[in-house]
Amino acid sequence: MIRRFWAAAGLAFVLAAGGAEAAPDVAKMTGGQLTAFARAMPKGGELHNHISGAIFAETLLAWAVEDGLCVNVKTLSVTPPCQPGEDLKPAAGIKTDEVLRAAMIDSFSVRHADFLDRSGHDQFFSAFGRFGAAGAKRDGDMLANVVDSLARQNTFYLEAMVTPQGVASRVKGAQVGWKGGDLAAQKAANTAAGLDALVAAAIAETDAMEARARALMKCGTPEALPGCQVTVRYLVQTSRVTPPEQTFAQLQMGVALIAADKRWVGLQMVAPEDHPLSIANYSLHMKMVAYLTDHGRTAKAALHAGELSMAYAAPEALRDHIAQAVRVAGARRIGHGVDLPLETGAEGLAAEMAAKGILVEVNLSSNDAILGVSGKAHPYAWLRQRGVPVSLSTDDAGILRIDLSHEYARAADEGATYADLKASARNAIAFSFLAGEGLWDDPGAYRRPAKACAGQVGKAEPKPGACADLIAASDKAREQWRHERLVAAFEAGAR
């Protein structure tokens, strides 16, 4: 069936294992064929998405106009309500000033690698400060934008990285001060200072964000946008470039939020890993996560680690960041993982991650733009060869001017097979932090469905009984069932 459908499109095929079925040979597709194929392919979900960096510059500028903000024509940034000044102009001016509009889009993205003589690394990380004001009050708008884009790419699960009560938790930490590394004393002092009270405010923020997104997408009405079908969970972003007491307070509040609200499913640590504070405090941060989560037993963590290259960090910083995230902090997933082959005992660490099922969230375009690591230099193929589970994601699609389909097409262009892409999509749900038992007894291999659903995976509906009960009781199994149904339709040639 898949042979018949894709042959009609002029695509090449290779025999699957055993020669029983044919799979699309993505290596032989033209650019246009691969683009269309990747967009239509069910991609399961996205596990590494900072929604604040996922919005394209054009949308951010439109919001700046709507909200009456200004642009600084010298720094090419958006500012809050306009104040008198020769460098400030109402954002509305970009409607008629094409030169300014183009410069602002450049400022918010990496589309011109040599923009203002900055490296891709510096352009990427500094962009947040230039466009941040445009999205400061648009959390729900950003969420709607991201999930609707994913749905239109046949992708229906998202773990979004957001910073709930970020400033308030940092302020609490600063008020308490640093207790000299006594993490138990630090936690007790934060609790006594009322840190846990921020959880209710974070839940209210989440409710408001989701309500705004649903309203924008007209969910529950005949005009509902596709994004209404996307299941969303959230990862608590915490900053690794603040003083230790502030980072700890953010982490502590995040763990409490995860315990209180099932929509929040894990911790993350963000900001440049090569920043001096990140380097200096990296081991301390891993100990913080380990202490607050009981080595991942009471709360899960998906940590940015190994987003480094020798262009931006000294060799000693590349020796063990991923190892510490896995072995000290108890991370269930690693974001980026680019420097893993450079770590001490890399082969043993990769084998350990494969055995434990610790997934690497792979961000090809991001790693190219920020670190200059691409093609054969990227460890994506190396990880696959060693059995480390991997899943493709975008990181910050707006700054990079990509989408998830682009990353799948890029992976194929750089040597991934259809089987690799299919595994990436499945991994995005199997290794998600969704609650419940999975649909597969062998996540990563996908040869053994759960006994309750044997012989039913890919069907429109589960049979009444054990399989239907599993899917009804498990968020993860439910998303996997939906994905397998989409894959079956895709491979049969249905749209």
Side-chain angles (χ1 to χ4, degrees):
M1 290 185 292
I2 187 170
R3 178 196 295 271
R4 183 173 65 248
F5 175 76
W6 291 108
L11 302 183
F13 288 78
V14 292
L15 287 179
E21 182 58 278
D25 187 352
V26 294
K28 294 184 177 179
M29 292 183 185
T30 65
Q33 287 171 333
L34 186 54
T35 296
F37 181 89
R39 181 160 292 275
M41 178 187 171
K43 290 171 285 295
E46 181 165 15
L47 301 179
H48 195 108
N49 184 302
H50 305 264
I51 66 170
S52 63
I55 312 304
F56 274 57
E58 293 86 341
T59 300
L60 291 167
L61 290 172
W63 292 345
V65 172
E66 291 176 15
D67 295 342
L69 304 182
C70 263
V71 296
N72 186 311
V73 298
K74 184 176 181 179
T75 62
L76 297 178
S77 59
V78 172
T79 69
C82 296
Q83 302 294 331
E86 60 179 344
D87 294 330
L88 298 181
K89 291 185 177 181
I94 63 172
K95 291 182 177 180
T96 55
D97 189 337
E98 284 297 322
V99 173
L100 177 60
R101 181 174 182 274
M104 293 296 292
I105 294 172
D106 288 345
S107 179
F108 291 3
S109 69
V110 296
R111 69 176 187 176
H112 289 162
D114 59 351
F115 182 69
L116 291 181
D117 296 322
R118 296 188 189 106
S119 67
H121 172 284
D122 294 349
Q123 171 64 9
F124 178 92
F125 285 113
S126 63
F128 290 93
R130 291 190 294 277
F131 66 65
K137 297 180 179 179
R138 295 277 188 161
D139 288 351
D141 301 62
M142 289 192 286
L143 180 61
N145 183 290
V146 170
V147 297
D148 198 54
S149 173
L150 284 174
R152 293 173 190 275
Q153 298 173 70
N154 218 9
T155 305
F156 295 96
Y157 178 65
L158 169 69
E159 282 184 14
M161 284 180 268
V162 183
T163 309
Q165 291 293 296
V167 173
S169 58
R170 287 176 56 188
V171 168
K172 285 288 185 185
Q175 291 171 344
V176 167
W178 185 234
K179 303 302 179 184
D182 185 337
L183 300 185
Q186 196 75 39
K187 181 180 179 182
N190 285 340
T191 300
L195 180 69
D196 291 349
L198 298 180
V199 171
I203 292 172
E205 280 182 345
T206 311
D207 291 340
M209 176 173 63
E210 292 191 339
R212 171 66 174 170
R214 288 194 298 269
L216 288 170
M217 294 189 292
K218 302 180 181 178
C219 298
T221 75
E223 295 81 32
L225 297 182
C228 296
Q229 302 173 53
V230 176
T231 298
V232 182
R233 295 292 184 268
Y234 304 96
L235 299 174
V236 179
Q237 284 188 154
T238 60
S239 175
R240 62 194 348 158
V241 295
T242 58
E245 62 272 20
Q246 297 183 30
T247 298
F248 188 90
Q250 284 192 317
L251 288 167
Q252 183 177 338
M253 197 283 295
V255 170
L257 178 58
I258 292 164
D261 188 332
K262 67 171 287 185
R263 294 172 296 183
W264 292 89
V265 294
L267 293 177
Q268 258 291 9
M269 300 197 74
V270 301
E273 194 176 342
D274 57 273
H275 189 283
L277 285 176
S278 301
I279 297 292
N281 293 324
Y282 190 87
S283 294
L284 174 61
H285 292 159
M286 296 303 101
K287 292 174 183 176
M288 289 178 179
V289 174
Y291 173 75
L292 290 168
T293 68
D294 189 20
H295 195 70
R297 296 180 185 90
T298 57
K300 298 173 182 176
L303 300 178
H304 283 64
E307 190 184 6
L308 297 169
S309 71
M310 288 190 184
Y312 294 101
E316 53 268 27
L318 280 65
R319 292 172 184 164
D320 65 352
H321 277 200
I322 297 170
Q324 288 192 60
V326 171
R327 295 167 179 164
V328 177
R332 304 285 189 91
R333 298 199 311 256
I334 296 297
H336 297 284
V338 176
D339 77 358
L340 201 159
L342 294 171
E343 294 218 356
T344 302
E347 293 288 355
L349 178 58
E352 180 181 344
M353 292 171 66
K356 292 180 177 178
I358 298 174
L359 177 136
V360 175
E361 303 153 358
V362 173
N363 305 290
L364 297 173
S365 292
S366 175
N367 300 152
D368 186 5
I370 297 173
L371 302 175
V373 177
S374 63
K376 290 184 177 181
H378 197 283
Y380 179 43
W382 184 84
L383 292 166
R384 299 197 311 269
Q385 291 163 0
R386 281 148 185 79
V388 178
V390 289
S391 189
L392 296 160
S393 46
T394 60
D395 197 16
D396 293 88
I399 301 175
L400 297 164
R401 299 192 71 84
I402 59 169
D403 59 16
L404 188 58
S405 301
H406 176 278
E407 296 303 274
Y408 272 70
R410 177 169 183 156
D413 198 46
E414 295 182 0
T417 66
Y418 175 64
D420 295 327
L421 302 182
K422 188 174 179 179
S424 169
R426 283 172 159 168
N427 287 346
I429 307 176
F431 295 91
S432 74
F433 293 161
L434 279 165
E437 297 296 320
L439 191 60
W440 298 94
D441 286 340
D442 58 344
Y446 307 106
R447 298 186 183 94
R448 300 194 312 273
K451 184 177 179 181
C453 294
Q456 298 185 57
V457 175
K459 304 295 184 183
E461 297 293 339
K463 294 178 181 178
C467 187
D469 292 344
L470 169 63
I471 293 166
S474 169
D475 292 346
K476 180 171 288 187
R478 188 161 53 252
E479 289 303 319
Q480 289 178 312
W481 184 272
R482 171 163 62 168
H483 175 67
E484 295 299 331
R485 187 180 65 222
L486 291 170
V487 169
F490 175 72
E491 292 185 343
R495 282 290 194 270

